[in-house]
Amino acid sequence: DIIKKAFMEGKMLRPGQELSPTETEEIGLLYETVINFVEEEKKEEELDNELVDYWNKVYEEQKDSLKTRPPVVTVMGHVDHGKTTLLDNIRNTKVAEGEEGGITQSIGAYQLEYNDKKITFIDTPGHEAFTEMRARGAQATDIVVLIIAADDGVMPQTIEAYNHAKDAKVPVIVAINKIDKPNANVELTKQQMVAKLNLIPEDWGGDTITVPISAISKEGIDELLEMISLVSEMEEIKCKPNGQARAVIIESKLDKFLGPVATVIVKDGILKTGDYFIAGSTYGKVRRMIDDQGRTIKKALPSTPVQVLGFNEVADTHSILYVTNSLNQAREISGKKKEKEDLANQNINKKHVKLEDFMKM
Ligand code: GTP
Ligand code: MG
């Protein structure tokens, strides 16, 4: 009935489609029901803005003392195009071999040194089911390395991944992988870059840095790292080097033994054990931090990926973690957010409503 009604109003919907707050309100109106989602979203934004304002002010005041931080580089691309293998070979590890069915199902974050400079890498899954993780990866990063296998070319998730990078306004370096394979076709892959992504490789007169590599034989990997360093120098990736931290949450889960944990990348300041924080409507105290090699650390500097223990519940993966002055402050801010959320939930159970949910109302 909703699909029909919306269609009569010139709006195409399909079963199972997620609706934005605005769309939900529009459909509500077709049934003469007022749903105040957009208002609620705005209120939530206002709260976030308090924190954003605070940080903008900090940046304004500390403009001269901002320091360069290591780049955060997210590796993205279609399933099996060689993202994990590339990172394995850069880090001399073997993550890819231990993965279920050879498919990455979570976001991994690692830091390494290249020519005495640190680079933080985020690995993302290429399987089509993990759109949300790819979007998150693109949002949290300074540079995207888009991997395209030379024996497979530009595929659906190559295009999707590129669109996330574009949305996030992040510079993209293309790595054409698997050039060691006999059926690798670099020229054809470049043609597809132009035709399907509108990206023109530098050696074709465009401005997209394109590096042919083999994650297995390691050919081209040095050049790729060189290009990453170059782009990060041009991007002037800055941070507030000291003081209270701000970090982006790239993954969170409930661990059977550790409780709610989140993988975060520190963007500003220094995150310390014992710090109080909020993240979305969750809060906590940093009980323990574990680095990418499983070691417990007491301090995490900007661009360091680290697992944080001590959340009151599983954190929202969209959220930013802000260190607060006290537990009370953390509770208060998260409490305010929770109230807003509960209010919205009284209207409906979920923010993004599926058509089925509508039927039940
Ligand atoms: P998802 O995380 O599931 O999206 O896959 P992925 O992009 O991480 O691919 P992964 O690194 O797991 O590699 C997939 C397969 O391609 C593995 O069997 C790798 O050994 C192989 N592979 C990756 N890079 C190369 C390469 O440069 N040359 C050759 N010959 N094989 C490669
Ligand atoms: Mg992988």
Side-chain angles (χ1 to χ4, degrees):
D1 184 52
I2 291 170
I3 291 177
K4 207 156 66 183
K5 227 174 178 133
F7 182 75
M8 303 296 278
E9 298 293 317
K11 195 168 174 57
M12 286 294 277
L13 298 175
R14 55 194 156 69
Q17 178 181 340
E18 288 212 358
L19 302 172
S20 70
T22 317
E23 283 172 329
T24 311
E25 288 192 4
E26 281 169 13
I27 290 169
L29 287 176
L30 296 179
Y31 287 83
E32 289 166 15
T33 308
V34 178
I35 305 172
N36 274 329
F37 273 136
V38 175
E39 267 309 299
E40 291 306 326
E41 287 254 310
K42 263 194 218 137
K43 278 186 205 154
E44 175 117 344
E45 264 169 31
E46 272 166 28
L47 260 171
D48 281 338
N49 284 345
E50 275 179 34
L51 291 162
V52 172
D53 285 349
Y54 164 78
W55 279 91
N56 284 341
K57 220 169 80 199
V58 167
Y59 278 133
E60 200 47 46
E61 284 163 3
Q62 303 189 357
K63 226 175 0 199
D64 303 324
S65 56
L66 295 183
K67 289 247 160 64
T68 309
R69 63 170 170 80
V72 177
V73 180
T74 298
V75 183
M76 302 179 88
H78 195 75
V79 68
D80 273 353
H81 278 199
K83 299 170 289 294
T84 305
T85 306
L86 171 69
L87 290 183
D88 276 354
N89 278 337
I90 296 177
R91 299 162 57 227
N92 275 322
T93 52
K94 287 195 159 57
V95 173
E97 281 178 15
E99 285 177 341
E100 189 99 21
I103 287 183
T104 303
Q105 306 203 20
S106 60
I107 288 185
Y110 321 95
Q111 196 171 58
L112 55 92
E113 264 182 36
Y114 176 71
N115 283 348
D116 294 330
K117 281 195 187 135
K118 288 189 172 126
I119 305 176
T120 300
F121 280 102
I122 302 180
D123 188 11
T124 61
H127 190 279
E128 61 172 316
F130 300 113
T131 307
E132 155 72 27
M133 275 190 232
R134 282 186 289 275
R136 220 184 300 142
Q139 291 294 336
T141 200
D142 302 305
I143 297 169
V144 163
V145 169
L146 184 65
I147 296 228
I148 313 174
D151 62 342
D152 204 23
V154 173
M155 297 302 279
Q157 271 60 55
T158 319
I159 298 172
E160 188 214 291
Y162 173 61
N163 284 333
H164 292 309
K166 216 164 55 172
D167 285 348
K169 300 191 173 67
V170 176
V172 173
I173 297 173
V174 173
I176 300 183
N177 190 29
K178 306 199 186 185
I179 55 167
D180 60 292
K181 285 188 118 176
N183 56 341
N185 193 335
V186 175
E187 290 305 295
L188 182 64
T189 308
K190 285 182 179 170
Q191 279 171 26
Q192 293 180 353
M193 277 172 60
V194 178
K196 296 187 178 175
L197 304 172
N198 210 4
L199 289 177
I200 304 167
E202 272 188 329
D203 61 333
W204 284 17
D207 54 12
T208 303
I209 299 175
T210 309
V211 191
I213 63 162
S214 164
I216 297 272
S217 80
K218 299 198 179 186
E219 195 184 335
I221 290 185
D222 260 325
E223 197 192 336
L224 178 63
L225 291 170
E226 206 59 62
M227 290 302 149
I228 290 170
S229 303
L230 198 81
V231 172
S232 44
E233 270 163 37
M234 291 189 317
E235 290 294 308
E236 291 191 8
I237 301 162
K238 298 266 192 233
C239 69
K240 180 173 87 80
N242 296 304
Q244 284 184 339
R246 175 169 73 152
V248 38
I249 296 183
I250 57 170
E251 190 140 57
S252 66
K253 61 175 183 199
L254 189 63
D255 186 280
K256 251 193 291 186
F257 304 105
L258 305 172
V261 296
T263 307
V264 313
I265 294 182
V266 179
K267 281 298 176 83
D268 287 287
I270 300 175
L271 188 61
K272 299 192 203 79
T273 311
D275 278 347
Y276 297 105
F277 63 80
I278 68 144
S281 59
T282 61
Y283 65 90
K285 176 182 179 173
V286 180
R287 247 190 320 118
R288 193 175 148 202
M289 287 192 288
I290 305 169
D291 76 1
D292 55 357
Q293 298 183 49
R295 296 175 302 209
T296 297
I297 55 169
K298 291 225 147 56
K299 281 179 181 181
L301 304 178
S303 294
T304 311
V306 70
Q307 267 201 322
V308 174
L309 278 59
F311 284 81
N312 69 328
E313 45 187 286
V314 177
D316 179 0
T317 32
H318 299 285
S319 57
I320 308 276
L321 179 154
Y322 296 93
V323 169
T324 56
N325 294 326
S326 63
L327 183 61
N328 277 345
Q329 195 191 12
R331 277 213 189 108
E332 193 193 327
I333 301 176
S334 88
K336 269 197 237 165
K337 290 191 146 206
K338 197 98 194 160
E339 251 171 55
K340 296 270 142 64
E341 248 172 44
D342 290 347
L343 207 72
N345 287 348
Q346 279 169 10
N347 284 338
I348 209 158
N349 281 333
K350 278 183 181 167
K351 266 241 181 82
H352 295 274
V353 193
K354 292 222 167 101
L355 278 174
E356 290 95 296
D357 301 326
F358 240 110
M359 308 286 188
K360 286 184 222 138
M361 281 172 48

